[in-house]
């Protein structure tokens, strides 16, 4: 059967007609579109600061063009290896510890028969998400206090030596990651619970007739059912592998744990805001985003080949 070719002009007319017919939907996404345009695309004009010796007197375009000077300066600096390695270690640790927990929590919540208990448990687990970072770190400081914290009080009660958990470098990564897991596991499990609701109940009924228990149904029905969602979220996490939240690290940072707590976000703040090295900090930020982009594209291709799920 001969295929009818549609001209480019006709395709544009058809697209425009559909847009007019669904104008209410396009108006709904207009605020999001304007937000991304104004706050994400228009500021990209300032990316050229990373290639200039920027100063306020000359402005962006009037500042002297220095090419890759600031990138070379960062790559050859004494802080490069330490800052990048700290960022990657914290992110990989956070990924290994924090990514599976919301999945397990969602699977357990979905398997609970009592609706009232499920609602209460879900509310309790996602409430910590709304605790501010400053309050959370304050809670940890009280809890792990050497003199009055209940953790060290128990340690001393059982004959152990109290530890300065919030100050010593060897504890920083563990405290940072596991406090984040506790705070975000309930909130992050919501998307997996939503994905689980889309699984056909008939599959569970058929499996129960065949004698499958809960664990087998979770392994052979629930987990494969949310696998595309897991793949997409994992790709997005890898796309942020060089980015780490500034606020929590900065609040937890002190002179004793500086060797393991100095990451790209805090280093950019110190160089850009405190030391007013705007071009240098812009170059570091651009390097950060380029590495994230490369990792996103790479992991997306791997996921597409292995599982058939990808962002693009």
């Amino acid at each position: 059967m001969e295929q009818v070719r549609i001209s480019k002009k006709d395709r544009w007319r058809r697209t425009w007609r559909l847009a007019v017919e669904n104008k209410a939907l396009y108006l709904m996404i207009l605020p999001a579109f304007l937000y991304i345009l104004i706050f994400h695309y228009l500021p990209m004009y300032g990316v050229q600061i990373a290639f200039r010796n920027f100063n306020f007197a000359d402005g962006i375009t009037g500042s002297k063009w220095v090419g890759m000077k600031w990138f070379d300066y960062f790559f050859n600096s004494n802080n490069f290896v330490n800052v990048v390695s700290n960022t990657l270690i914290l992110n990989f640790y956070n990924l290994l510890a924090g990514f599976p927990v919301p999945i397990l929590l969602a699977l357990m919540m979905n398997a609970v028969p009592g609706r009232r208990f499920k609602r209460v448990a879900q509310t309790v687990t996602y409430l910590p998400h709304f605790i501010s970072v400053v309050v959370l770190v304050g809670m940890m400081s009280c809890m792990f206090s050497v003199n009055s914290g209940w953790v060290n009080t128990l340690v001393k009660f059982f004959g152990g030596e109290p530890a300065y958990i919030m100050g010593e470098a060897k504890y920083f990564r563990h405290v940072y990651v596991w406090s984040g897991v506790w705070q975000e596991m309930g909130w992050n499990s919501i998307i997996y619970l939503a994905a689980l609701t889309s699984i056909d109940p008939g599959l569970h009924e058929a499996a129960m007739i065949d004698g499958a228990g809960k664990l087998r149904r979770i392994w052979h029905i629930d987990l494969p059912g949310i696998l595309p969602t897991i793949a997409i979220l994992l790709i997005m996490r890898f796309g942020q592998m060089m980015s780490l939240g500034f606020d929590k690290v900065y609040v937890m940072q002190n002179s004793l744990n500086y060797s393991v707590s100095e990451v790209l976000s805090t280093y950019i703040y110190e160089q850009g805001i405190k030391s007013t090295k705007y071009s240098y900090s812009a170059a570091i930020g651009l390097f950060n985003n380029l590495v994230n982009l490369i990792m996103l594209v790479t992991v997306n291709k791997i996921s597409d080949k292995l599982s058939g799920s990808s962002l693009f």
Side-chain angles (χ1 to χ4, degrees), residues 78-117:
N78 296 327
N79 295 311
F80 174 73
V81 175
N82 184 53
V83 170
V84 173
S85 61
N86 285 341
T87 304
L88 289 174
I89 290 170
L90 262 182
N91 264 319
F92 274 110
Y93 187 3
N94 198 23
L95 179 67
L96 291 174
F99 191 79
V101 173
I103 300 171
L104 295 173
L105 181 63
L107 292 172
M108 288 189 293
M109 290 284 188
N110 190 61
V112 171
R115 293 184 63 183
R116 182 177 296 179
F117 175 79

Side-chain angles (χ1 to χ4, degrees), residues 35-48:
Y35 172 82
I36 294 173
L37 177 67
I38 295 170
F39 293 103
H40 291 270
Y41 279 92
L42 291 182
M44 289 179 70
Y45 170 78
V47 169
Q48 59 182 299

Side-chain angles (χ1 to χ4, degrees), residues 74-260:
F74 176 56
F75 297 150
N76 295 319
S77 68
N78 296 327
N79 295 311
F80 174 73
V81 175
N82 184 53
V83 170
V84 173
S85 61
N86 285 341
T87 304
L88 289 174
I89 290 170
L90 262 182
N91 264 319
F92 274 110
Y93 187 3
N94 198 23
L95 179 67
L96 291 174
F99 191 79
V101 173
I103 300 171
L104 295 173
L105 181 63
L107 292 172
M108 288 189 293
M109 290 284 188
N110 190 61
V112 171
R115 293 184 63 183
R116 182 177 296 179
F117 175 79
K118 186 186 296 186
R119 288 176 181 174
V120 172
Q122 188 176 353
T123 303
V124 170
T125 54
Y126 76 61
L127 276 178
H129 169 79
F130 299 100
I131 300 175
S132 71
V133 171
V134 176
V135 173
L136 176 65
V137 176
M139 290 168 57
M140 291 192 296
S141 297
C142 295
M143 184 169 58
F144 296 125
S145 173
V146 177
N147 299 318
S148 58
W150 65 265
V151 174
N152 278 309
T153 302
L154 285 176
V155 171
K156 286 188 285 186
F157 178 78
F158 288 105
E161 287 292 329
Y164 188 22
I165 297 174
M166 291 298 292
E168 294 186 34
K170 62 181 179 180
Y171 298 117
F172 173 80
R173 288 169 180 156
H174 304 299
V175 174
Y176 177 88
V177 169
W178 289 107
S179 62
V181 172
W182 170 79
Q183 187 178 23
E184 298 296 338
M185 64 178 181
W187 183 260
N188 292 335
S189 68
I190 293 175
I191 191 168
Y192 297 113
L193 285 168
L196 285 167
T197 58
S198 65
I199 296 174
D200 186 4
L203 296 174
H204 284 277
E205 293 172 2
M208 290 171 66
I209 292 172
D210 291 338
K214 257 182 189 177
L215 289 177
R216 284 193 172 273
R217 283 186 280 125
I218 289 172
W219 182 258
H220 294 288
I221 298 175
D222 290 339
L223 201 55
I226 63 173
L227 193 58
T229 305
I230 295 172
I232 295 299
L233 292 178
L234 186 61
I235 293 168
M236 295 174 69
R237 284 289 296 271
F238 270 98
Q240 300 172 349
M241 194 53 65
M242 288 290 284
S243 301
L244 202 66
F246 162 80
D247 44 5
K248 188 177 178 182
V249 176
Y250 190 73
V251 174
M252 291 179 63
Q253 195 175 73
N254 57 55
S255 58
L256 296 176
N257 61 26
Y258 190 79
S259 59
V260 296

